[in-house]
Amino acid sequence: MSLDKEKLLQSLVNGEYPDAQGRYGPFGGRYVPETLVGAFTRLEEGVDKWLNDGNFRDELNTELKNWVGRPTPLTPAPRLGERWGAEVWLKREDLAHTGAHKINNAIGQALLAKRLGAKRIVAETGAGQHGVASAAACARVGLPCEVYMGQIDMARQAPNVDRMQRLGAKVIAVTTGDRTLRAAIDEAMRDWVASPNDTYYLLGSAVGGHPYPYLVRELQSVIGREARQQIIDQSGGLPDVAIACVGGGSNAIGLFHPFIADGKTDLLGVEAGGHGNGLGEHSATVVHGRPGVLHGTYSLLLHDDDGQIQETHSISAGLDYPGVGPEHALLAATGRASYCAVDDQTALLALNECCEAEGILIALETAHAFAGARLYAQEHAGARILIGVSGRGDKDLATLLEHAG
Ligand SMILES: *Cc1c(COP(=O)(O)O)cnc(C)c1O
């Protein structure tokens, strides 16, 4: 693959992606079996029709305000700033309804599903966070919701199974394949294919075939749009860097996207370094991955020489995915964003530091972004740092107990 970096960067900054084929330079597109082509085409037409429709935007913005609790605050973090020798600002998605950024996407797609005449919604979930957000959003718009979840994940994340059920969703155990997120996505797609007219598939991150990475980016960009205006208003200018954790990449692309044309603001994505650099020990897809196709999109992923997807590991279940959204692959290839990996222990330390210094219990996923920010501050004394706080850490208390001592 030869890349004309300068040209790709220029197109990226000009906002030309995705192109008409759903591509982000060489990445993205739609690699789906024949049986799914019709469903994807209809979804693309629906997204084109509704996403920028004034009436739909009004309805979405009203729900974001009255039900999700937007705008979320931008919080100065002076005690962290003092420790790090930096000026630190926190964009508080942990304060959004259900405790993380995932609700922005879930309510947006649930409202879209209604406009498209869907009678039911299917979703997949790994750790359960997207399942909970989907269940809540479906209850809100009055559509039945079925969530596919790997059998192994159901055992690991029992409280989230209970939350989904309380919110009215049916949780379907996936006993095929790896019995985790990857198999759950396959099953949700299979369900969608079986009745593409009545069913809407609510995908949880900026991954999958076109138009999902675009749709999710547009719905999550509310994070960056708000944060950009807030930091200008509250600090007097743009940040030197915007930092977010990267699993599939939805909270990061939502924070980064409105800053892409701001050349003086660095973008830093922080992946899960797990407990080592070896096969199966991490889920740092941009840092360690290679190009390939997974779940309908051409992007970076973790696979071996035979194309077999690798097992992944992270202390934070929400970062545990062997692929990443195609726009991140392009941001990395053009150098517009950089990516690093932070290991489990370093993330734990960052979580404790944020609790101590700012009185905020962040999610383990989010803690990776804080650890990345700390490293950035060491190399950029006095920098104005914007961190995307993707979620709150109450869900992680059991994991934290296990790792205490
Ligand atoms: C799911 C999740 C993530 C990772 O997903 P992205 O699509 O990469 O944003 C990060 N933080 C929290 C709190 C999550 O629940």
Side-chain angles (χ1 to χ4, degrees), residues 371-391:
R374 193 179 212 281
L375 293 172
Y376 185 92
Q378 281 168 10
E379 287 161 20
H380 302 81
R384 180 181 293 155
I385 297 177
L386 169 64
I387 306 177
V389 184
S390 58

Side-chain angles (χ1 to χ4, degrees), residues 99-102 129-130 204-206 245-252 318-319 363 365-366 390-392 395:
H101 68 287
K102 288 199 170 73
Q129 296 303 109
H130 173 59
S205 190
C245 64
V246 178
S250 70
N251 89 91
L319 300 185
E365 291 83 2
T366 314
S390 58
R392 66 178 180 228
K395 67 180 177 59

Side-chain angles (χ1 to χ4, degrees), residues 30-372:
R30 183 190 294 156
Y31 297 84
V32 298
E34 194 57 38
T35 47
L36 270 170
V37 170
F40 268 93
T41 306
R42 269 194 299 278
L43 175 63
E44 185 180 0
E45 288 165 2
V47 168
D48 287 346
K49 174 162 186 217
W50 290 112
L51 198 60
N52 293 309
D53 174 85
N55 195 278
F56 177 79
R57 298 298 313 184
D58 286 348
E59 185 183 20
L60 174 59
N61 289 335
T62 302
E63 287 303 284
L64 289 177
K65 176 168 183 280
N66 296 340
W67 186 71
V68 173
R70 306 207 72 88
T72 58
L74 180 74
T75 305
R79 285 169 32 92
L80 273 182
E82 197 175 312
R83 289 174 182 225
W84 297 354
E87 181 188 323
V88 181
W89 296 86
L90 309 178
K91 179 57 176 165
R92 302 291 304 283
E93 295 306 293
D94 60 313
L95 294 179
H97 180 44
T98 67
H101 68 287
K102 288 199 170 73
I103 199 71
N104 303 322
N105 173 49
I107 189 64
Q109 288 199 51
L111 290 170
L112 178 66
K114 281 223 104 159
R115 298 276 173 152
L116 299 180
K119 302 282 180 292
R120 66 190 276 270
I121 284 183
V122 294
E124 85 295 332
T125 199
Q129 296 303 109
H130 173 59
V132 169
S134 299
C138 289
R140 178 69 181 171
V141 307
L143 280 173
C145 178
E146 294 180 32
V147 181
Y148 287 89
M149 188 171 189
Q151 198 181 37
I152 294 173
D153 288 333
M154 282 179 77
R156 284 195 293 211
Q157 310 287 340
N160 271 339
V161 175
D162 187 47
R163 282 172 86 195
M164 284 183 260
Q165 287 165 343
R166 274 174 204 285
L167 290 164
K170 184 172 161 203
V171 182
I172 303 170
V174 175
T175 55
T176 52
D178 65 357
R179 291 181 294 151
T180 67
L181 177 60
R182 199 147 44 91
I185 294 179
D186 290 335
E187 285 304 314
M189 287 211 184
R190 213 162 284 155
D191 182 316
W192 185 30
V193 170
S195 56
N197 289 322
D198 289 346
T199 302
Y200 181 93
Y201 175 30
L202 207 174
L203 186 55
S205 190
V207 300
H210 181 66
Y212 280 111
Y214 164 69
L215 173 59
V216 175
R217 175 192 89 194
E218 291 297 295
L219 293 171
Q220 292 293 5
S221 289
V222 67
I223 302 171
R225 278 198 308 275
E226 286 177 6
R228 190 174 180 282
Q229 193 57 52
Q230 287 168 319
I231 200 163
I232 290 171
D233 292 347
Q234 291 176 236
S235 82
L238 288 168
D240 294 306
V241 64
I243 303 179
C245 64
V246 178
S250 70
N251 89 91
I253 202 67
L255 182 70
F256 292 174
H257 197 261
F259 290 99
I260 285 177
D262 298 320
K264 291 209 171 93
T265 298
D266 294 340
L267 305 173
L268 174 61
V270 188
E271 301 191 301
H275 49 59
N277 291 335
L279 212 95
E281 295 180 332
H282 61 82
S283 23
T285 312
V286 180
V287 172
H288 294 297
R290 289 175 297 166
V293 172
L294 177 65
H295 294 136
T297 191
Y298 180 71
S299 184
L300 295 168
L301 51 121
L302 296 169
H303 53 169
D304 64 20
D305 292 335
D306 300 325
Q308 284 295 109
I309 304 292
Q310 294 174 22
E311 293 300 310
T312 52
H313 166 80
S314 170
I315 190 169
S316 59
L319 300 185
D320 215 343
Y321 179 68
V324 69
E327 196 161 4
H328 286 291
L330 181 64
L331 283 165
T334 56
R336 179 61 191 94
S338 48
Y339 295 80
C340 66
V342 160
D343 67 28
D344 290 348
Q345 286 308 319
T346 311
L348 277 170
L349 291 174
L351 182 144
N352 288 333
E353 187 178 35
C354 184
C355 282
E356 253 174 56
E358 299 295 343
I360 302 171
L361 173 56
I362 54 177
L364 273 167
E365 291 83 2
T366 314
H368 290 74
F370 278 72

